[in-house]
Amino acid sequence: MIIILRIGHRYERDERLSTHCGLVARAFGARRIIFSGEHDAKLMESIGGVAERWGGPFDVHYEGQWKKSLLAHKKKGFTVVHLTMYGTPVQKAMRIIRKRKKLLVVVGSEKVPPEIYQLADFNVSVTSQPHSEVAALAVFLHEYHKGKELSKRFRGAKLRIVPQEKGKKVIETRSRKRA
Ligand code: SAM
C-alpha cells in the first residue's frame, strides 16, 4: 500500500503540477494521494474523475495539516519516505525501502518545511539535481515496483486503451454499460 502526501499545494499556481502528481501516483501503482496546503476542490474532482473513468483502486483525500497526516500514518506503521534532491540516492536507499510494504511518500511544492527532514524515515533523492516532484515520484514508484506497474490492470475501468502502433483506440468496457 503506497500513499502519496503532496504538501504545500497552492490554489491555481500549483494546479497543473499537483494534478500530475495525482495522475502519476495512480498510473504508477499508488493507492491514494493526500493533498495538503490550500484546499482545491477542482483539483480533487479532476483526479477523482480520472480514477472513475480509467479505473483504480485509487482515491483522493485532503488534510489541512500535513504533519497530522504524516504522524497518523507513522502510527499506523507506514514508513515515511520524503523525496528531496538532498537525500540518499534512490538506487542506494531502495534496497531497504522495498522491503517495507506500507509507504507514505512525501513530495513538496515550492518550499518544504525543514521539519520534514527529521520526521521522515528516509530522505531520498532521484539524482542529486533539482527537477520536479512529478518526475521524482514517477521514478521512485517505478524503482519500487521494479517496473511491474507498467503492466498494471485497473479495476472497474470504464475506458481502456488498446495500444496501437499508429492512431488511437479506446474501448468502453462492460462496467460502463452496467453503470
Ligand atoms: N526548493 C524546494 C525545497 O528545497 O524546499 C523544493 C522545490 S522542488 C520543485 C519540489 C519538489 O520536487 C521537492 O519538494 C521534492 O519533493 C521534489 N524533487 C525535486 N527534485 C528532486 C530530486 N532530485 N529528487 C527527489 N525529489 C525531488
Side-chain angles (χ1 to χ4, degrees), residues 82-86 106-112 117 124-133 136:
H82 170 221
L83 296 182
T84 164
M85 64 178 175
Y86 304 105
V106 183
V107 290
S109 44
E110 193 186 43
K111 208 163 168 32
V112 180
Y117 291 84
V124 173
S125 62
V126 176
T127 77
S128 300
Q129 303 297 322
H131 53 83
S132 148
E133 50 273 46

mmCIF file of all heavy atoms in Angstrom, residues 82-86 106-112 117 124-133 136, ligand 1:
data_model
loop_
_atom_site.group_PDB
_atom_site.id
_atom_site.type_symbol
_atom_site.label_atom_id
_atom_site.label_comp_id
_atom_site.label_asym_id
_atom_site.label_seq_id
_atom_site.Cartn_x
_atom_site.Cartn_y
_atom_site.Cartn_z
ATOM 1 N N HIS A 82 10.555 10.781 2.210
ATOM 2 C CA HIS A 82 10.469 12.158 1.690
ATOM 3 C C HIS A 82 11.369 12.277 0.464
ATOM 4 O O HIS A 82 12.574 12.020 0.561
ATOM 5 C CB HIS A 82 10.908 13.135 2.800
ATOM 6 C CG HIS A 82 11.096 14.535 2.327
ATOM 7 N ND1 HIS A 82 12.143 15.316 2.741
ATOM 8 C CD2 HIS A 82 10.372 15.297 1.476
ATOM 9 C CE1 HIS A 82 12.051 16.503 2.160
ATOM 10 N NE2 HIS A 82 10.990 16.523 1.393
ATOM 11 N N LEU A 83 10.779 12.640 -0.673
ATOM 12 C CA LEU A 83 11.577 12.806 -1.886
ATOM 13 C C LEU A 83 12.174 14.204 -1.921
ATOM 14 O O LEU A 83 11.455 15.203 -1.901
ATOM 15 C CB LEU A 83 10.724 12.549 -3.133
ATOM 16 C CG LEU A 83 10.172 11.126 -3.278
ATOM 17 C CD1 LEU A 83 9.389 10.985 -4.585
ATOM 18 C CD2 LEU A 83 11.277 10.079 -3.219
ATOM 19 N N THR A 84 13.497 14.258 -1.935
ATOM 20 C CA THR A 84 14.224 15.525 -1.931
ATOM 21 C C THR A 84 15.570 15.332 -2.613
ATOM 22 O O THR A 84 16.214 14.290 -2.421
ATOM 23 C CB THR A 84 14.446 16.037 -0.496
ATOM 24 O OG1 THR A 84 15.455 17.059 -0.527
ATOM 25 C CG2 THR A 84 14.882 14.954 0.479
ATOM 26 N N MET A 85 15.984 16.334 -3.359
ATOM 27 C CA MET A 85 17.270 16.198 -4.067
ATOM 28 C C MET A 85 18.458 16.117 -3.108
ATOM 29 O O MET A 85 19.556 15.754 -3.504
ATOM 30 C CB MET A 85 17.461 17.369 -5.033
ATOM 31 C CG MET A 85 17.575 18.712 -4.392
ATOM 32 S SD MET A 85 17.840 19.932 -5.693
ATOM 33 C CE MET A 85 17.781 21.441 -4.750
ATOM 34 N N TYR A 86 18.242 16.456 -1.830
ATOM 35 C CA TYR A 86 19.332 16.434 -0.851
ATOM 36 C C TYR A 86 19.514 15.063 -0.193
ATOM 37 O O TYR A 86 20.427 14.865 0.611
ATOM 38 C CB TYR A 86 19.087 17.477 0.247
ATOM 39 C CG TYR A 86 18.890 18.870 -0.304
ATOM 40 C CD1 TYR A 86 17.625 19.451 -0.353
ATOM 41 C CD2 TYR A 86 19.979 19.591 -0.789
ATOM 42 C CE1 TYR A 86 17.439 20.728 -0.877
ATOM 43 C CE2 TYR A 86 19.797 20.866 -1.318
ATOM 44 C CZ TYR A 86 18.526 21.429 -1.354
ATOM 45 O OH TYR A 86 18.364 22.676 -1.882
ATOM 46 N N VAL A 106 6.283 11.421 0.578
ATOM 47 C CA VAL A 106 6.003 12.865 0.679
ATOM 48 C C VAL A 106 6.707 13.609 -0.450
ATOM 49 O O VAL A 106 7.916 13.440 -0.661
ATOM 50 C CB VAL A 106 6.496 13.418 2.042
ATOM 51 C CG1 VAL A 106 6.147 14.893 2.184
ATOM 52 C CG2 VAL A 106 5.915 12.612 3.200
ATOM 53 N N VAL A 107 5.935 14.431 -1.179
ATOM 54 C CA VAL A 107 6.548 15.310 -2.183
ATOM 55 C C VAL A 107 6.156 16.752 -1.880
ATOM 56 O O VAL A 107 5.037 17.039 -1.461
ATOM 57 C CB VAL A 107 6.158 14.950 -3.646
ATOM 58 C CG1 VAL A 107 6.792 13.654 -4.080
ATOM 59 C CG2 VAL A 107 4.658 14.920 -3.856
ATOM 60 N N GLY A 108 7.096 17.647 -2.115
ATOM 61 C CA GLY A 108 6.864 19.056 -1.808
ATOM 62 C C GLY A 108 6.404 19.833 -3.017
ATOM 63 O O GLY A 108 6.260 19.294 -4.111
ATOM 64 N N SER A 109 6.193 21.124 -2.769
ATOM 65 C CA SER A 109 5.952 22.029 -3.902
ATOM 66 C C SER A 109 7.073 23.066 -3.838
ATOM 67 O O SER A 109 8.238 22.682 -3.841
ATOM 68 C CB SER A 109 4.542 22.617 -3.865
ATOM 69 O OG SER A 109 4.208 23.016 -2.575
ATOM 70 N N GLU A 110 6.762 24.348 -3.732
ATOM 71 C CA GLU A 110 7.857 25.319 -3.797
ATOM 72 C C GLU A 110 8.795 25.228 -2.585
ATOM 73 O O GLU A 110 10.000 25.075 -2.730
ATOM 74 C CB GLU A 110 7.311 26.726 -3.945
ATOM 75 C CG GLU A 110 8.404 27.703 -4.339
ATOM 76 C CD GLU A 110 7.916 29.123 -4.362
ATOM 77 O OE1 GLU A 110 7.190 29.520 -3.428
ATOM 78 O OE2 GLU A 110 8.264 29.833 -5.289
ATOM 79 N N LYS A 111 8.243 25.306 -1.399
ATOM 80 C CA LYS A 111 9.081 25.320 -0.193
ATOM 81 C C LYS A 111 8.669 24.201 0.758
ATOM 82 O O LYS A 111 7.489 24.040 1.043
ATOM 83 C CB LYS A 111 8.943 26.673 0.516
ATOM 84 C CG LYS A 111 10.174 27.043 1.293
ATOM 85 C CD LYS A 111 10.167 28.519 1.620
ATOM 86 C CE LYS A 111 11.194 28.935 2.628
ATOM 87 N NZ LYS A 111 12.442 28.221 2.662
ATOM 88 N N VAL A 112 9.650 23.451 1.231
ATOM 89 C CA VAL A 112 9.353 22.323 2.110
ATOM 90 C C VAL A 112 9.718 22.697 3.543
ATOM 91 O O VAL A 112 10.835 23.173 3.789
ATOM 92 C CB VAL A 112 10.170 21.077 1.665
ATOM 93 C CG1 VAL A 112 9.896 19.896 2.559
ATOM 94 C CG2 VAL A 112 9.862 20.726 0.224
ATOM 95 N N TYR A 117 12.460 16.800 7.126
ATOM 96 C CA TYR A 117 13.700 16.015 7.019
ATOM 97 C C TYR A 117 13.923 15.167 8.265
ATOM 98 O O TYR A 117 14.515 14.094 8.199
ATOM 99 C CB TYR A 117 14.901 16.944 6.791
ATOM 100 C CG TYR A 117 14.877 17.600 5.430
ATOM 101 C CD1 TYR A 117 14.144 18.762 5.207
ATOM 102 C CD2 TYR A 117 15.577 17.045 4.357
ATOM 103 C CE1 TYR A 117 14.107 19.360 3.955
ATOM 104 C CE2 TYR A 117 15.544 17.633 3.100
ATOM 105 C CZ TYR A 117 14.803 18.790 2.902
ATOM 106 O OH TYR A 117 14.757 19.375 1.668
ATOM 107 N N VAL A 124 15.058 10.730 0.348
ATOM 108 C CA VAL A 124 15.551 10.024 -0.832
ATOM 109 C C VAL A 124 15.620 10.957 -2.043
ATOM 110 O O VAL A 124 14.662 11.679 -2.329
ATOM 111 C CB VAL A 124 14.618 8.824 -1.152
ATOM 112 C CG1 VAL A 124 14.994 8.163 -2.467
ATOM 113 C CG2 VAL A 124 14.661 7.810 -0.023
ATOM 114 N N SER A 125 16.738 10.891 -2.757
ATOM 115 C CA SER A 125 16.882 11.715 -3.966
ATOM 116 C C SER A 125 16.808 10.858 -5.222
ATOM 117 O O SER A 125 17.203 9.690 -5.220
ATOM 118 C CB SER A 125 18.219 12.454 -3.946
ATOM 119 O OG SER A 125 19.283 11.528 -3.950
ATOM 120 N N VAL A 126 16.263 11.455 -6.240
ATOM 121 C CA VAL A 126 16.233 10.830 -7.566
ATOM 122 C C VAL A 126 17.140 11.715 -8.414
ATOM 123 O O VAL A 126 16.703 12.719 -8.968
ATOM 124 C CB VAL A 126 14.787 10.795 -8.121
ATOM 125 C CG1 VAL A 126 14.776 10.238 -9.538
ATOM 126 C CG2 VAL A 126 13.888 9.959 -7.207
ATOM 127 N N THR A 127 18.406 11.368 -8.432
ATOM 128 C CA THR A 127 19.529 12.214 -8.850
ATOM 129 C C THR A 127 19.706 13.306 -7.784
ATOM 130 O O THR A 127 18.744 13.642 -7.078
ATOM 131 C CB THR A 127 19.377 12.909 -10.233
ATOM 132 O OG1 THR A 127 18.492 14.020 -10.112
ATOM 133 C CG2 THR A 127 18.898 11.949 -11.312
ATOM 134 N N SER A 128 20.887 13.825 -7.676
ATOM 135 C CA SER A 128 21.131 14.915 -6.716
ATOM 136 C C SER A 128 21.071 16.249 -7.457
ATOM 137 O O SER A 128 21.918 17.118 -7.274
ATOM 138 C CB SER A 128 22.479 14.710 -6.031
ATOM 139 O OG SER A 128 22.480 13.472 -5.355
ATOM 140 N N GLN A 129 20.064 16.367 -8.310
ATOM 141 C CA GLN A 129 19.872 17.571 -9.114
ATOM 142 C C GLN A 129 18.453 18.087 -8.890
ATOM 143 O O GLN A 129 17.539 17.290 -8.670
ATOM 144 C CB GLN A 129 20.031 17.249 -10.611
ATOM 145 C CG GLN A 129 21.357 16.623 -10.969
ATOM 146 C CD GLN A 129 22.530 17.551 -10.700
ATOM 147 O OE1 GLN A 129 22.430 18.755 -10.918
ATOM 148 N NE2 GLN A 129 23.623 17.001 -10.208
ATOM 149 N N PRO A 130 18.259 19.402 -8.970
ATOM 150 C CA PRO A 130 16.886 19.914 -8.839
ATOM 151 C C PRO A 130 16.077 19.577 -10.086
ATOM 152 O O PRO A 130 16.572 19.731 -11.198
ATOM 153 C CB PRO A 130 17.101 21.436 -8.727
ATOM 154 C CG PRO A 130 18.413 21.701 -9.349
ATOM 155 C CD PRO A 130 19.245 20.473 -9.196
ATOM 156 N N HIS A 131 14.876 19.047 -9.896
ATOM 157 C CA HIS A 131 13.954 18.879 -11.033
ATOM 158 C C HIS A 131 12.524 18.986 -10.554
ATOM 159 O O HIS A 131 12.148 20.046 -10.017
ATOM 160 C CB HIS A 131 14.265 17.625 -11.872
ATOM 161 C CG HIS A 131 14.354 16.319 -11.132
ATOM 162 N ND1 HIS A 131 13.262 15.579 -10.812
ATOM 163 C CD2 HIS A 131 15.444 15.628 -10.656
ATOM 164 C CE1 HIS A 131 13.645 14.468 -10.201
ATOM 165 N NE2 HIS A 131 14.981 14.480 -10.084
ATOM 166 N N SER A 132 11.725 17.940 -10.681
ATOM 167 C CA SER A 132 10.289 18.094 -10.452
ATOM 168 C C SER A 132 9.745 16.983 -9.566
ATOM 169 O O SER A 132 10.195 15.831 -9.650
ATOM 170 C CB SER A 132 9.597 18.066 -11.815
ATOM 171 O OG SER A 132 8.326 17.497 -11.723
ATOM 172 N N GLU A 133 8.739 17.325 -8.762
ATOM 173 C CA GLU A 133 8.080 16.333 -7.909
ATOM 174 C C GLU A 133 7.413 15.234 -8.743
ATOM 175 O O GLU A 133 7.328 14.087 -8.324
ATOM 176 C CB GLU A 133 7.068 16.994 -6.969
ATOM 177 C CG GLU A 133 6.065 17.940 -7.599
ATOM 178 C CD GLU A 133 6.594 19.369 -7.714
ATOM 179 O OE1 GLU A 133 7.728 19.553 -8.154
ATOM 180 O OE2 GLU A 133 5.831 20.293 -7.372
ATOM 181 N N ALA A 136 10.235 12.924 -9.959
ATOM 182 C CA ALA A 136 10.796 12.190 -8.816
ATOM 183 C C ALA A 136 9.839 11.071 -8.389
ATOM 184 O O ALA A 136 10.262 9.941 -8.127
ATOM 185 C CB ALA A 136 11.062 13.151 -7.661
HETATM 186 N N1 SAM B 1 13.396 24.120 -3.413
HETATM 187 C C1 SAM B 1 12.396 23.401 -2.690
HETATM 188 C C2 SAM B 1 12.952 22.988 -1.345
HETATM 189 O O1 SAM B 1 14.090 22.556 -1.275
HETATM 190 O O2 SAM B 1 12.206 23.038 -0.388
HETATM 191 C C3 SAM B 1 11.922 22.172 -3.498
HETATM 192 C C4 SAM B 1 11.290 22.521 -4.821
HETATM 193 S S1 SAM B 1 11.038 21.184 -5.976
HETATM 194 C C5 SAM B 1 10.472 22.000 -7.419
HETATM 195 C C6 SAM B 1 9.522 20.437 -5.461
HETATM 196 C C7 SAM B 1 9.649 19.022 -5.008
HETATM 197 O O3 SAM B 1 10.167 18.221 -6.053
HETATM 198 C C8 SAM B 1 10.544 18.762 -3.847
HETATM 199 O O4 SAM B 1 9.953 19.094 -2.614
HETATM 200 C C9 SAM B 1 10.805 17.275 -3.982
HETATM 201 O O5 SAM B 1 9.760 16.509 -3.398
HETATM 202 C C10 SAM B 1 10.796 17.069 -5.496
HETATM 203 N N2 SAM B 1 12.138 16.970 -6.078
HETATM 204 C C11 SAM B 1 12.753 17.869 -6.881
HETATM 205 N N3 SAM B 1 13.966 17.431 -7.256
HETATM 206 C C12 SAM B 1 14.126 16.211 -6.685
HETATM 207 C C13 SAM B 1 15.168 15.226 -6.703
HETATM 208 N N4 SAM B 1 16.290 15.401 -7.388
HETATM 209 N N5 SAM B 1 14.979 14.091 -6.011
HETATM 210 C C14 SAM B 1 13.833 13.871 -5.319
HETATM 211 N N6 SAM B 1 12.814 14.756 -5.276
HETATM 212 C C15 SAM B 1 12.958 15.911 -5.942
#
